[in-house]
Amino acid sequence: MPNTFTKATSSKVTDVWGGALARMTGQDDTWLGIPIGHQTVNAKFGTTTSAPDTTYSPSTTADDLLGVIWTPCSTIKVTKCKIIYGEGGTTNITHRLCLMRYDIDADGDLSNGVEVGTAATDANSDDYSQLRSTDLVITTDNAITTSQVLIGMVMPVDISPSAMAAKCIIEYTM
């Protein structure tokens, strides 16, 4: 069952999604989509350190892509984003984090990717005994339409943990 939760208070809505990423061997310096539930294979979005890829075509990975996308039923504006993460088996890992918005077509191809929430490499080096979180800086290009999707992303830097879980928490207005 998906690990999501939505809470509306006045005009702001909070939504949470996250879960366990697939085993992490060889995933260092790779942008990975934060799953909605448990992934058997990670959805990868490139290795450019500055930002994830701006396009994605699922070809044989439609199930992996569906496991990481979040889409609204009405146009929204993201006002806050926090990513919480933790891993097992490896010490002193730093991360890059972001919240990406993509246009999505009828086949699931993603295009025009832009960062809605940005963060430099986190200062919260961690190990398997700690959970960490980072508040992302929300850009002014923060509107999400019904033909777009959001994907929370994490990149383990330099070392692949043996296991990792993450949650993406957004606050938005409609």
Side-chain angles (χ1 to χ4, degrees):
M1 177 167 227
N3 184 7
T4 64
F5 171 75
T6 303
K7 180 182 179 187
T9 57
S10 62
S11 62
K12 292 185 180 177
V13 179
T14 300
D15 204 354
V16 179
W17 68 90
L21 283 82
R23 288 293 172 196
M24 301 292 293
T25 304
Q27 308 287 311
D28 55 312
D29 294 325
T30 302
W31 286 103
L32 305 170
I34 294 174
I36 299 172
H38 177 77
Q39 290 285 86
T40 55
V41 176
N42 291 320
K44 300 176 187 177
F45 292 87
T47 57
T48 304
T49 57
S50 58
D53 292 344
T54 58
T55 62
Y56 183 90
S57 182
S59 61
T60 62
T61 59
D63 57 332
D64 302 333
L65 177 61
L66 186 58
V68 300
I69 62 174
W70 182 93
T71 188
C73 292
S74 301
T75 297
I76 66 165
K77 278 199 163 212
V78 176
T79 57
K80 292 183 181 179
C81 181
K82 177 182 284 200
I83 295 179
I84 303 170
Y85 45 94
E87 63 264 329
T90 308
T91 60
N92 299 318
I93 296 176
T94 55
H95 307 82
R96 290 185 179 88
L97 306 157
C98 72
L99 180 65
M100 291 290 289
R101 178 193 69 217
Y102 293 92
D103 295 340
I104 187 166
D105 69 15
D107 295 326
D109 293 322
L110 304 182
S111 60
N112 302 316
V114 297
E115 286 184 272
V116 173
T118 62
T121 302
D122 68 354
N124 294 324
S125 179
D126 63 335
D127 64 31
Y128 46 82
S129 68
Q130 302 162 335
L131 290 177
R132 296 291 192 198
S133 68
T134 298
D135 292 315
L136 304 184
V137 175
I138 303 301
T139 67
T140 57
D141 192 6
N142 61 344
I144 315 302
T145 69
T146 58
S147 62
Q148 296 176 316
V149 297
L150 288 174
I151 303 175
M153 304 237 185
V154 60
M155 175 191 273
V157 178
D158 299 326
I159 302 171
S160 287
S162 59
M164 184 173 192
K167 291 193 182 295
C168 184
I169 304 165
I170 62 169
E171 183 177 274
Y172 60 91
T173 58
M174 295 198 267

